[in-house]
Amino acid sequence: MNGTESTRADLASRLGVPVGPELLQLALTHRSFAYENGGLPHNERLEFLGDSILGQAVTVMLYRENPDLDEGELAKRRASLVSSVALAEVARSIGLGEHIRLGRGEELTGGSDKSSILADTVEAMIGAVYLDCGPDVATDFVLRLIRPLLEDPDRFGAAMDPKTSLQELAARLGRGLPSYSVLDSGPDHSKRFHATVLVGGEPVASGEGSSKKHAEMAAALEAWTLLQAQQSGRGAKGRTVRTAPKPDTAHHATH
């Protein structure tokens, strides 16, 4: 076993899941690495599978553990727990970024800490666990990953209305109203929007999306997360999140 394989084996051991080395490597292979190395298989099919398993596990858990919540509130909580920002937080907590196989371009632009890539890789890991270990182990794995997120009750409101939540937090901190700067790029039929949110006149976070609204929502949620962390004394650096929070089980916003 070489050093890289040993490190990945350590990751699997730390996560408490006996995923085989080949499937684990596939789960950690981003498409940018695959394309730069002759079209190798990458993790997007596993991500597709993991997204479904994640949604089911979270939905069943919320239904069973919250008998007094109506359908609307359950849906809001599920959306907050399976959003790209939430999954990226999970990924950072387990040090997943350092294990992802990225192309050179993504490595140079900080791909190992991009929320979109981290979230996708978490889902791919869930898919790999399902295939190698079965549905029960995969469900336990999902719940173990997201359980810490349940301990932050403020998360539910922020994920559903990030711009309002950021405005309220900025007001409590005496930082004034947030403002947004939005740029777009790409052809008319496939534009991408990049939003930067300023709080107290200083850029705090940025976000990308397929519309101005989605980009601003992504930036607002990332800024809210960073300011909450700083307020709690944990500290954080500004990051770019690539998509707005997913409204249901898909992590690309469709509002």
Side-chain angles (χ1 to χ4, degrees):
M1 181 181 292
N2 63 34
T4 301
E5 291 173 341
S6 176
T7 301
R8 293 198 185 112
D10 289 343
L11 172 64
S13 177
R14 189 164 74 246
L15 296 176
V17 286
V19 179
E22 290 186 5
L23 202 53
L24 180 61
Q25 177 168 286
L26 179 60
L28 295 169
T29 301
H30 187 256
R31 65 177 178 271
S32 62
F33 182 93
Y35 294 161
E36 288 184 15
N37 289 273
L40 295 173
H42 52 75
N43 65 7
E44 289 186 356
R45 279 173 53 85
L46 283 176
E47 174 198 337
F48 170 79
L49 175 62
D51 176 72
S52 179
I53 295 157
L54 168 71
Q56 181 183 35
V58 171
T59 299
V60 172
M61 179 272 294
L62 288 172
Y63 181 88
R64 287 177 171 168
E65 295 186 6
N66 300 276
D68 298 327
L69 295 182
D70 62 21
E71 182 271 344
E73 185 61 30
L74 289 171
K76 289 180 181 179
R77 294 197 176 205
R78 176 177 60 189
S80 72
L81 291 171
V82 300
S83 71
S84 291
V85 170
L87 294 180
E89 185 176 332
V90 167
R92 292 183 183 106
S93 73
I94 59 177
L96 188 61
E98 64 187 87
H99 299 283
I100 302 174
R101 300 206 297 174
L102 296 168
R104 179 165 174 78
E106 282 291 355
E107 282 188 347
L108 291 174
T109 57
S112 62
D113 195 48
K114 286 181 181 176
S115 292
S116 56
I117 291 177
L118 289 171
D120 290 347
T121 307
V122 169
E123 289 180 335
M125 288 287 295
I126 293 168
V129 172
Y130 179 90
L131 291 178
D132 240 15
C133 308
D136 291 341
V137 173
T139 296
D140 289 343
F141 178 60
V142 168
L143 298 183
R144 197 161 67 246
L145 290 179
I146 63 96
R147 187 65 65 179
L149 303 180
L150 292 169
E151 297 173 4
D152 180 9
D154 291 336
R155 173 184 309 279
F156 299 125
M160 300 317 301
D161 190 355
K163 292 182 74 172
T164 299
S165 295
L166 176 61
Q167 183 175 322
E168 292 172 349
L169 177 58
R172 288 200 304 272
L173 296 175
R175 302 275 293 271
L177 286 175
S179 61
Y180 298 83
S181 172
V182 183
L183 301 174
D184 61 70
S185 61
D188 288 341
H189 67 278
S190 183
K191 278 191 178 297
R192 295 292 295 175
F193 294 82
H194 183 96
T196 299
V197 58
L198 295 87
V199 180
E202 298 180 0
V204 175
S206 57
E208 293 183 10
S210 58
S211 70
K212 178 181 177 182
K213 175 184 175 182
H214 291 172
E216 288 183 350
M217 287 174 63
L221 185 53
E222 186 73 353
W224 180 89
T225 302
L226 292 167
L227 291 178
Q228 279 284 99
Q230 292 170 3
Q231 187 181 25
S232 301
R234 294 191 297 269
K237 294 181 179 179
R239 296 188 295 261
T240 297
V241 56
R242 288 303 183 100
T243 182
K246 39 188 172 180
D248 195 0
T249 57
H251 59 253
H252 303 291
T254 55
H255 298 315

